[in-house]
């Protein structure tokens, strides 16, 4: 198995960003089952406090933004952050760009293939029943194209132009086009141009019939999410400023992107389903704020021990994500902890089982860590 840049354990050179492993683990923590703790607590208590948290760990039907919308793009952002450390190091060693291009394309396509397996299992199905759009495919393709741009552009300023240009292009694409029978600029699920293009060009089935949140057309702006990570990683790796100054600048740009996203939201709504340009700025801003926080605490101040829990997850993120295809975690949790649910009874048995569900996954990853077993693409 080869290494997936940033998506699992990476060779980030001597100045490795330990904060990156921790932040990746923090990100994966919520989608490996921790979010269910908030949902079950709300059901058990009917408390407004848990209700607010539960609400934030669900996706809006269409327009809008909640914390749970950040999980996916944050992962792609971090894939970009690692690029200057991993791929950049290979360039510095004098490796041929064409060889690295093949490597990048291979990784992107393998992730897309894993996404098909994750969506559809190992069962062979007719092509019309297969869903090709997936979280892993978007990460793989977004990472791939962002890294191709990185390979063939020497200056960060050119990469920044690509970042902004892609966002403007996607905005104009949806602003002045639509599905047949809808006015130009229609952004409804049925009428928007991105979903219409997916219905034409994507094989198999779309997740919502007439729309796929991980469709091919809306992968275009996801390239900018990866590019923002690359720009951030390049800044952390090559800028001579000290750690505190880097922390401040990342936080400043994070806040600026959030403000710009809210302004753009007036005309081009923040929408994860469409991966709208304003959505890219919103999640990019929050990602920068989170990375600045983790970077300051872990890499600048040196407080690393507390992050071990998250780093265990972050170093094997693809393994735990794909594990559900092969392991029935709910059955495993019930087999080991059914007595605890019976002991507590309703309504908190579901809360306990949600905590145990996450815990048993973590201990599985800890065992893999001790055995030095990592799934790398």
């Amino acid at each position: 198995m080869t290494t997936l840049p940033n998506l699992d354990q990476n060779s980030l050179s001597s100045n490795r960003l330990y904060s990156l492993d921790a932040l990746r683990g923090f990100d994966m923590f919520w989608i490996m089952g921790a979010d269910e703790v908030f949902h079950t607590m709300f059901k058990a208590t009917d408390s407004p406090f848990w209700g607010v948290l539960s609400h934030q760990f669900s996706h809006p039907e269409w327009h809008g933004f909640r914390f749970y919308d950040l999980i996916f793009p944050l992962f792609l952002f971090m894939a970009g952050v690692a690029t200057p450390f991993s791929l950049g190091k290979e360039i510095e060693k004098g490796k041929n760009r064409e060889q690295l291009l093949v490597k990048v394309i291979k990784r992107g396509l393998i992730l897309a293939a894993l996404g098909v397996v994750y969506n559809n299992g190992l069962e062979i199905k007719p092509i019309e029943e297969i869903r090709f759009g997936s979280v892993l495919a978007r990460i793989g393709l977004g990472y791939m194209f962002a890294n191709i741009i990185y390979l063939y552009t020497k200056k960060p300023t050119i990469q920044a132009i690509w970042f902004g240009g892609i966002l403007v292009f996607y905005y104009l694409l949806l602003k002045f086009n639509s599905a047949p029978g809808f006015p130009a600029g229609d952004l409804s699920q049925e009428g928007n141009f991105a979903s219409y293009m997916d219905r034409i060009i994507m094989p198999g089935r779309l997740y919502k019939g007439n729309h796929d949140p991980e469709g091919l057309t809306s992968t275009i702006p996801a390239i900018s999410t990866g590019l923002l990570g690359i720009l951030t990683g390049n800044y952390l790796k090559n800028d001579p400023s000290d750690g505190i100054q880097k922390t401040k600048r990342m936080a400043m740009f994070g806040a600026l992107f959030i403000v710009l996203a809210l302004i753009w939201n007036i005309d081009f709504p923040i929408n994860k389903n469409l991966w709208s340009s304003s959505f890219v700025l919103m999640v990019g801003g929050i990602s920068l704020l989170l990375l600045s926080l983790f970077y300051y605490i872990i890499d600048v101040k040196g407080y690393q021990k507390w992050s071990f829990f998250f780093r265990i997850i972050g170093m094997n993120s693809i393994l735990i994500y794909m594990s559900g295809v092969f392991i029935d975690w709910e059955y495993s949790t019930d087999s080991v902890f059914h007595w605890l649910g019976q002991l507590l009874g309703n309504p908190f048995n579901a809360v306990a089982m949600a905590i145990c569900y996450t815990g048993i996954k973590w201990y599985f990853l800890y065992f893999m860590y001790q055995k030095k077993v990592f799934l790398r693409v």
Side-chain angles (χ1 to χ4, degrees), residues 210-226:
N210 62 358
H211 167 77
D212 197 306
E214 283 79 53
L216 196 58
T217 309
S218 55
T219 298
I220 295 172
I223 299 170
S224 284
T225 301

Side-chain angles (χ1 to χ4, degrees), residues 119-134:
N119 283 347
N120 305 280
L122 299 175
E123 179 186 354
I124 298 177
K125 300 178 180 178
I127 193 168
E128 62 270 13
E129 296 180 13
I130 297 175
R131 182 185 172 220
F132 288 93
S134 69

Side-chain angles (χ1 to χ4, degrees), residues 189-303:
Q189 181 171 308
E190 186 178 0
N192 78 85
F193 188 66
S195 299
Y196 169 66
M197 289 301 297
D198 287 343
R199 293 195 290 270
I200 294 175
I201 63 179
M202 286 188 70
R205 65 180 179 86
L206 303 184
Y207 184 69
K208 295 186 176 181
N210 62 358
H211 167 77
D212 197 306
E214 283 79 53
L216 196 58
T217 309
S218 55
T219 298
I220 295 172
I223 299 170
S224 284
T225 301
L227 279 172
L228 180 59
I230 289 174
L231 288 164
T232 304
N234 189 66
Y235 172 68
L236 290 172
K237 180 175 183 285
N238 298 317
D239 192 272
S241 304
D242 61 30
I244 294 177
Q245 187 66 26
K246 289 178 179 178
T247 299
K248 290 179 179 178
R249 287 180 180 172
M250 282 193 294
M252 179 187 71
F253 274 100
L256 175 63
F257 280 178
I258 291 172
V259 171
L260 292 175
L262 293 174
I263 295 172
W264 207 348
N265 175 64
I266 298 171
D267 186 55
F268 195 21
I270 296 171
N271 186 314
K272 176 185 175 294
N273 285 277
L274 295 174
W275 211 279
S276 61
S277 302
S278 55
F279 174 77
V280 173
L281 292 180
M282 173 61 78
V283 297
I286 299 174
S287 296
L288 281 166
L289 290 176
L290 281 174
L291 180 59
S292 66
L293 177 63
F294 276 66
Y295 174 74
Y296 177 73
I297 295 172
I298 297 172
D299 292 310
V300 177
K301 303 300 290 184
Y303 300 124

Side-chain angles (χ1 to χ4, degrees), residues 59-74:
H59 295 298
E61 284 297 319
W62 195 243
H63 296 321
F65 181 82
R66 296 174 195 165
F67 177 80
Y68 209 46
D69 294 340
L70 173 68
I71 305 301
F72 177 9
L74 175 59

Side-chain angles (χ1 to χ4, degrees), residues 108-121 130-140 318 321-322 325:
L109 296 180
I110 288 175
L111 276 176
L114 288 176
V116 174
V117 173
Y118 182 86
N119 283 347
N120 305 280
I130 297 175
R131 182 185 172 220
F132 288 93
S134 69
V135 168
L136 288 179
R138 174 150 300 175
I139 291 172
I318 294 296
Y321 186 81
M322 290 297 298
V325 178

